Amino acid sequence: MDMKSLYLLIALAPLAGSIIAGLFGWAIGRRASHVVTIAGVAVSAALSLKVLLGFLNGSAEVFNGPVYTWLTVGGYEYSVGFLVDSLTAMMLVVVTSVSLMVHIYTIGYMQDDPGYQRFFSYISLFTFSMLMLVMSNNFVQLFFGWEAVGLVSYLLIGFWFKRPTAVFANLKAFLVNRVGDFGFLLGIGLVLAYFGGSLNYSDVFAAAPVLAHKTIEIIPGQQWSLLTVTCILLFIGAMGKSAQFPLHVWLPDSMEGPTPISALIHAATMVTAGIFMVSRMSPLFEMSDTALNVVMVAGSITALFMGFLGIVQNDIKRVVAYSTLSQLGYMTVALGASAYSVAMFHVMTHAFFKALLFLAAGSVIIGMHHDQDMRNMGGLRKYMPITWLTSLLGSLALIGTPFFSGFYSKDSIIEAVAASHLSAAGFAYFAVVAGVFVTAFYSFRMYFLVFHGKERWMENHGSHHEHHGDSDEEEVSHDHHHGLGPNDKPHESPWVVTLPLVLLAIPSVLVGYFAIDKLVYGDFFKGVISVNNEAHPGMEELAHEFHGAAAMTLHSFTTLPLWLAIAGVVVAWYFYMKAPHIPAAIKEKCAPIHKLLENKYYLDEIYFAVFAKGSRAIGTFFWKVGDMLLIDGLVVNGTAKLVGWFSSVVRRAQTGFIYSYATAMIIGVLGLMTWWFLPLILR
């Protein structure tokens, strides 16, 4: 098999499974639907691993070429093309491996759902869309994959489409991403207009140095750097997809979708698209310190302030969701520090431990009969030992525990920010270091409330839950599954749920230790990610100080982040295991702050007031004044009324009597005679 055929098979295998399950699932049944979709993703994952191993051992060559030409117009040719290099190879393995685990897990999680075949079709289509995005070699295909993951996420977040909250959540995600995608499209437009008329990455990157000092006039009389404007517009697209402040508001609400898709969106697909795109565009971003500062500030705000929101959440899935927001902020900060390799390294490690945490949360939800409120849990360790152990490993990876995968990527981000010379680096360093304590605190608050302490389900069984079913009738018939009854006990999930947890726990612990040398400080991304070491020497400085994963681990015991992480765990343990009256007292004493966090900084209300209500007000004005008053009232109905009025006047002269017409004729003749002869008489 030649390489082009291999790459086509990687991309199209999940699509084939999606089409079969989606169009013929009703005929082939539930079992065949999950078999065909899992087989498609498994083939893609196996071939992706083969490609990655080729790049790791040096036997693989970069592939960059068209696969299919779909449009030729005005001298421009647009093709479906693949760029498969080390960056693509890593993303292929991350996307397909996590997707495969989610597919297997879905068999157990969605077994009672009437939309079983439809769900498998959607998640396979989601995988295909992400593969097309990461394999693209041009902006047109990138935008296709970009919009495709957005479309499928809309379908998946609103999978239970008869629940108003799910419909609201997927519409919110769709609209917020339209804002980001509008900026992204404008950035692509500038590339097309100024970079030689080509949208192929290689052509654009080759043309960029010539345009380093090119300016454009956006506001009359104001000159702006072309590359700065282009990069910021492209990053606005990343802010939407990767949920960076202030376009982050859709991500927590995406929890309305079933847990498997929460794991797939948050871990390996949609939200990592923006991080991947900026890393791919590193040759452009390296030419604009302004753009890098914007990236760093957005990531810093997201990393710290979204972490604060995780502290006050009681829904187990929402805690993990805000954790995703915070970790995406860390990745974005790394991009701003020109540590693109570190950002992608964290994308990889985070994909494994975040998928693990989401799927473990789903396992807890199953064991609790679809109760998601952590206040109704406690002491689950002895009832769900596999879920407990894998959750603990995922949490330790998340907070950056030495020897765990998250430690190597997260600490590398902090070190890269410390070494950055950008003006925003000071604030960014404070945000990522403070975020270490916050992350450890909310992560182990969740861990202790769920798995340790008093068994609280007997006190408040069934108050919060995740509806399982996509119809009102289904929800009613499953009411007895929503929360534990008085005689129920939690139970461990079936093997199709726990097996993916075990398999994801392995890379969550090990992959960071074995991969950091090659991916961050080696030559794995050489020639793929571009860094201007003269202007941004941070990573070059870190490379001189790096002496291996083991040495990095030993050094961490003398650094602030590790002790902040330990402090976060200890405080969470003391607050929620030993002295639960303390957080209750803090909540009471700091009620305004708690209310601010509980209402997510009121951003939803602000956006609704400014944009939703504002848009409705503008629309109402144009409807009432423009449409009803001017167009209907004046132009359309006004013309009709004018004609009617004139007709009514003329109608009065049409009496039907001869003497009336004779009189009118005499008056007309007299008038003509007067008009003709009066000037002669006066002369």
Side-chain angles (χ1 to χ4, degrees):
M1 182 186 297
D2 66 315
M3 296 311 293
K4 183 186 288 188
S5 301
L6 176 70
Y7 299 141
L8 277 171
L9 187 56
I10 289 174
L12 297 179
L15 178 63
S18 173
I19 292 172
I20 294 171
L23 297 182
F24 307 107
W26 61 273
I28 63 177
R30 296 160 73 93
R31 183 182 179 86
S33 295
H34 75 236
V35 167
V36 72
T37 50
I38 290 174
V41 176
V43 167
S44 186
L47 296 178
S48 297
L49 183 59
K50 177 183 177 182
V51 172
L52 178 62
L53 292 174
F55 280 101
L56 287 171
N57 62 31
S59 63
E61 294 183 359
V62 173
F63 178 91
N64 183 13
V67 176
Y68 172 74
T69 301
W70 64 274
L71 177 65
T72 302
V73 58
Y76 297 109
E77 185 178 280
Y78 301 104
S79 302
V80 174
F82 290 159
L83 170 57
V84 181
D85 51 21
S86 54
L87 177 61
T88 307
M90 190 198 81
M91 284 299 295
L92 290 178
V93 170
V94 169
V95 171
T96 56
S97 59
V98 172
S99 179
L100 180 60
M101 295 300 101
V102 170
H103 275 69
I104 296 171
Y105 177 95
T106 300
I107 297 173
Y109 194 86
M110 301 291 286
Q111 61 181 344
D112 297 325
D113 197 281
Y116 189 83
Q117 294 96 315
R118 176 166 59 94
F119 189 81
F120 272 99
S121 175
Y122 285 173
I123 57 177
S124 284
L125 184 60
F126 201 25
T127 306
F128 160 75
S129 302
M130 190 65 187
L131 292 176
M132 290 298 289
L133 188 156
V134 301
M135 295 175 75
S136 62
N137 75 341
N138 62 83
F139 281 95
V140 175
Q141 186 180 326
L142 174 69
F143 192 71
F144 163 77
W146 198 265
E147 293 304 305
V149 293
L151 170 64
V152 185
S153 70
Y154 172 83
L155 297 173
L156 285 163
I157 293 169
F159 181 77
W160 290 318
F161 54 83
K162 291 195 176 181
R163 292 169 52 192
T165 51
V167 174
F168 177 80
N170 72 352
L171 183 61
K172 184 178 182 180
F174 188 81
L175 292 176
V176 172
N177 273 280
R178 295 291 68 73
V179 176
D181 293 354
F182 179 66
F184 189 53
L185 196 56
L186 289 177
I188 294 174
L190 284 179
V191 170
L192 180 63
Y194 288 96
F195 286 74
S198 173
L199 289 174
N200 288 330
Y201 297 156
S202 55
D203 297 333
V204 171
F205 297 158
V210 181
L211 300 170
H213 302 291
K214 171 75 176 175
T215 58
I216 55 176
E217 197 173 275
I218 300 175
I219 302 172
Q222 297 289 325
Q223 296 295 322
W224 296 67
S225 164
L226 170 65
L227 280 168
T228 295
V229 174
T230 302
C231 289
I232 290 175
L233 287 172
L234 292 175
F235 179 65
I236 290 173
M239 289 170 70
K241 278 288 179 289
S242 293
Q244 294 301 290
F245 177 87
L247 299 182
H248 66 278
V249 293
W250 67 271
L251 194 61
D253 289 334
S254 69
M255 295 299 96
E256 288 296 330
T259 297
I261 194 52
S262 300
L264 199 54
I265 288 177
H266 286 241
T269 54
M270 184 169 169
V271 296
T272 61
I275 310 299
F276 168 81
M277 183 272 292
V278 175
S279 297
R280 177 64 79 193
M281 300 299 138
S282 59
L284 303 183
F285 279 84
E286 281 300 290
M287 296 183 184
S288 173
D289 280 5
T290 303
L292 290 174
N293 274 303
V294 169
V295 171
M296 187 178 280
V297 169
S300 304
I301 295 172
T302 308
L304 182 58
F305 289 93
M306 296 307 108
F308 287 145
L309 298 183
I311 296 173
V312 300
Q313 301 301 313
N314 294 310
D315 184 310
I316 186 172
K317 282 174 63 177
R318 285 187 177 266
V319 176
V320 187
Y322 281 107
S323 164
T324 300
L325 277 173
S326 182
Q327 295 306 304
L328 287 167
Y330 274 86
M331 298 173 204
T332 305
V333 168
L335 296 174
S338 295
Y340 306 98
S341 59
V342 178
M344 293 309 301
F345 183 44
H346 198 49
V347 164
M348 180 185 71
T349 60
H350 175 265
F352 293 120
F353 65 71
K354 187 50 59 69
L356 171 60
L357 286 171
F358 262 114
L359 298 185
S363 179
V364 169
I365 292 168
I366 293 172
M368 291 294 297
H369 291 205
H370 300 284
D371 186 346
Q372 296 181 202
D373 195 326
M374 297 187 300
R375 293 170 295 187
N376 299 335
M377 300 177 189
L380 296 187
R381 173 184 173 183
K382 66 180 180 181
Y383 299 100
M384 309 181 71
I386 300 175
T387 303
W388 159 70
L389 182 58
T390 52
S391 293
L392 176 59
L393 295 176
S395 298
L396 290 171
L398 170 61
I399 70 170
T401 307
F403 293 108
F404 284 73
S405 294
F407 161 75
Y408 297 101
S409 55
K410 197 170 180 179
D411 266 41
S412 295
I413 292 173
I414 295 171
E415 293 299 324
V417 175
S420 174
H421 297 175
L422 291 180
S423 55
F427 169 66
Y429 183 73
F430 166 77
V432 294
V433 170
V436 172
F437 175 84
V438 175
T439 302
F441 180 77
Y442 68 66
S443 298
F444 274 82
R445 170 183 177 266
M446 176 181 72
Y447 170 76
F448 289 127
L449 285 175
V450 172
F451 294 106
H452 293 272
K454 187 178 180 182
E455 299 174 357
R456 295 181 296 276
W457 63 83
M458 295 301 294
E459 302 169 3
N460 301 304
H461 56 80
S463 61
H464 291 270
H465 55 266
E466 176 182 49
H467 289 291
H468 222 204
D470 64 351
S471 69
D472 296 335
E473 294 78 8
E474 183 70 20
E475 288 175 11
V476 170
S477 67
H478 280 69
D479 273 349
H480 64 283
H481 288 302
H482 292 153
L484 295 170
N487 299 318
D488 294 329
K489 286 186 178 181
H491 57 83
E492 185 61 275
S493 301
W495 72 267
V496 289
V497 171
T498 55
L499 177 63
L501 299 183
V502 174
L503 294 178
L504 285 168
I506 296 170
S508 297
V509 176
L510 299 177
V511 75
Y513 183 89
F514 292 104
I516 184 171
D517 203 344
K518 188 82 170 175
L519 266 62
V520 176
Y521 299 107
D523 57 358
F524 185 73
F525 291 123
K526 185 177 181 180
V528 177
I529 288 174
S530 174
V531 179
N532 181 354
N533 288 319
E534 292 185 7
H536 311 122
M539 286 305 297
E540 196 173 48
E541 294 172 7
L542 291 182
H544 290 304
E545 299 175 5
F546 182 75
H547 301 291
M552 180 179 176
T553 306
L554 293 174
H555 173 69
S556 70
F557 289 96
T558 64
T559 60
L560 181 60
L562 175 61
W563 295 104
L564 284 174
I566 293 172
V569 174
V570 171
V571 171
W573 170 79
Y574 187 73
F575 275 16
Y576 294 97
M577 293 292 98
K578 294 297 181 183
H581 64 279
I582 294 179
I586 293 174
K587 177 181 176 180
E588 186 178 341
K589 295 288 185 183
C590 304
I593 296 175
H594 185 272
K595 192 172 183 181
L596 179 69
L597 296 177
E598 204 169 42
N599 287 281
K600 299 169 285 187
Y601 307 117
Y602 293 99
L603 285 174
D604 284 340
E605 288 77 6
I606 293 170
Y607 288 165
F608 183 76
V610 174
F611 296 106
K613 283 190 175 180
S615 299
R616 288 184 64 182
I618 293 171
T620 301
F621 171 79
F622 283 118
W623 168 45
K624 295 281 189 182
V625 177
D627 193 16
M628 294 182 66
L629 182 63
L630 295 179
I631 297 175
D632 288 345
L634 187 60
V635 178
V636 179
N637 295 332
T639 304
K641 288 178 181 178
L642 179 63
V643 171
W645 174 82
F646 184 73
S647 300
S648 66
V649 173
V650 173
R651 194 180 300 118
R652 294 178 184 277
Q654 303 296 325
T655 64
F657 297 109
I658 294 177
Y659 60 80
S660 296
Y661 301 142
T663 302
M665 292 172 65
I666 292 169
I667 292 172
V669 170
L670 288 175
L672 287 171
M673 291 177 64
T674 301
W675 178 72
W676 180 261
F677 289 111
L678 187 60
L680 297 175
I681 295 171
L682 294 175
R683 189 186 304 172

